Amino acid sequence: MNKPEELWSIAVNEGLNNYDRNGQPEIQTLFLVGASKSGKTTLIHAFLDKDDEPKVSLPVEYTYIRRTNKYMVKDICYIWEVDTANISFINLLTKSEGLESISVLFVIDLVHVHDLWNACERIEELKKNLEAKPKTIITFGILGMKYDLFENLSTEKKLILCRIAKHYATIVDGHLVFCTRKDRTTMKVAKDLFSHLAFKTKFSHPLRFDLSSPVIIPKGGENKSDINYLHNTFEIQFAHLPVTSKMDDDDPAKDASYANEAIDKERKKYLEKIEKAP
């Protein structure tokens, strides 16, 4: 039998070997894409267990989080919050920085239904643009926020919105989750999805497509729907609602209500750098 000192030496050496093989942190870039007040910052606060009320985000915001892996190395995820109208920023950053692995989580407001449709159409467009970069590994997800208000809609309206979200989740081959910050159980699923996209942890929740509870559709769990049928049904169900989505050429960065001298200066420098890039 080995002496305690020998066992300790073996354990230390094994640990050092693991560190040598895995000493470098995993680095991931996660883009949270959604309209203003869709719940992007709320999700970050929930993942970090912050209790303070999130502030209104700028059109593009940046932060990062770290997580200790099994080798006691802190993996890093760079997080960009991107307004739907500024979605082209993702293509620019991916190209200019040569990003090899990115995740994109679309945060959709289940109450503002026209914003939902607009966001879903941009999902498909973004996927096509990113797939033109063959060296970049891309993982997608769709998160529907404000389920507590969504469940007050009629069964017909809920069904068509669920089918639209499911259709686009299938197109991008990503997970689909509905949640509300007012319910810890649904936020736990949302946080698991966030962790999966940010740190490649497992997302092992079973499929649930039941209008009486928040939707969970794992990657590959459903088939695509007839988009023309969905569009026509959507128009019938929601024709009475005003379209509040921003126009494609709107740029929130030019909105005076978002003005910030330091950020605007850095943004200008960054855009000039991108324009000069080959």
Side-chain angles (χ1 to χ4, degrees):
M1 181 178 294
N2 293 325
K3 295 180 180 180
E5 294 83 1
E6 293 174 342
L7 293 175
W8 175 252
S9 178
I10 293 172
V12 169
N13 288 333
E14 180 65 20
L16 289 174
N17 288 336
N18 284 335
Y19 186 84
D20 289 340
R21 291 196 300 269
N22 302 278
Q24 296 299 318
E26 289 282 346
I27 298 177
Q28 181 75 357
T29 301
L30 170 61
F31 296 97
L32 297 180
V33 184
S36 177
K37 299 182 181 179
S38 59
K40 301 185 295 295
T41 309
T42 296
L43 178 62
I44 296 175
H45 280 217
F47 186 78
L48 298 175
D49 293 323
K50 287 186 176 182
D51 296 325
D52 52 317
E53 190 69 18
K55 297 179 180 179
V56 177
S57 301
L58 295 169
V60 175
E61 286 205 12
Y62 162 80
T63 188
Y64 72 93
I65 54 178
R66 296 185 294 180
R67 179 179 182 271
T68 303
N69 64 28
K70 64 180 180 180
Y71 301 109
M72 302 307 293
V73 176
K74 289 186 179 294
D75 294 332
I76 304 170
C77 180
Y78 300 115
I79 301 174
W80 292 89
E81 293 182 61
V82 183
D83 190 284
T84 308
N86 271 17
I87 202 168
S88 59
F89 171 82
I90 299 177
N91 289 314
L92 294 174
L93 187 68
T94 303
K95 177 182 178 180
S96 65
E97 299 298 324
L99 301 180
E100 297 180 353
S101 178
I102 68 172
S103 296
V104 181
L105 179 59
F106 281 87
V107 182
I108 57 179
D109 187 330
L110 293 173
V111 180
H112 294 85
V113 294
H114 288 290
D115 284 340
L116 182 153
W117 187 268
N118 181 45
C120 285
E121 289 181 333
R122 287 175 179 267
I123 290 173
E124 186 172 12
E125 178 186 349
L126 176 65
K127 181 175 185 290
K128 290 179 180 178
N129 290 335
L130 290 176
E131 285 181 340
K133 303 172 177 61
K135 294 183 179 180
T136 304
I137 300 173
I138 314 158
T139 308
F140 286 94
I142 300 178
L143 180 67
M145 297 287 283
K146 304 180 184 178
Y147 176 81
D148 55 311
L149 301 177
F150 169 84
E151 63 180 344
N152 294 327
L153 297 175
S154 68
T155 300
E156 292 77 12
K157 286 181 170 62
K158 287 193 290 186
L159 182 59
I160 185 61
L161 293 177
C162 285
R163 285 177 173 171
I164 291 170
K166 176 175 71 69
H167 172 81
Y168 282 101
T170 305
I171 284 179
V172 300
D173 194 25
H175 301 292
L176 171 65
V177 170
F178 286 2
C179 71
T180 169
R181 68 173 182 171
K182 296 182 179 180
D183 181 83
R184 290 186 178 182
T185 301
T186 65
M187 283 306 297
K188 171 64 168 61
V189 180
K191 289 165 68 174
D192 288 347
L193 177 58
F194 185 98
S195 178
H196 170 71
L197 296 173
F199 297 108
K200 301 180 181 180
T201 56
K202 290 184 178 180
F203 183 80
S204 55
H205 294 274
L207 184 148
R208 182 174 67 201
F209 191 75
D210 181 352
L211 295 182
S212 63
S213 57
V215 169
I216 301 175
I217 301 182
K219 175 181 177 180
E222 283 287 326
N223 298 320
K224 287 185 286 187
S225 302
D226 183 340
I227 193 62
N228 292 324
Y229 167 79
L230 292 178
H231 195 280
N232 291 337
T233 308
F234 177 87
E235 291 297 329
I236 293 171
Q237 290 291 336
F238 299 100
H240 64 288
L241 294 178
V243 178
T244 58
S245 299
K246 297 172 183 174
M247 298 299 290
D248 288 349
D249 58 351
D250 282 352
D251 185 356
K254 298 177 183 177
D255 190 332
S257 62
Y258 288 118
N260 182 296
E261 183 178 354
I263 293 177
D264 291 343
K265 183 178 180 180
E266 290 301 314
R267 179 177 181 274
K268 182 179 179 181
K269 289 168 58 178
Y270 184 78
L271 290 176
E272 290 175 349
K273 175 184 174 183
I274 291 175
E275 290 177 355
K276 294 178 181 178

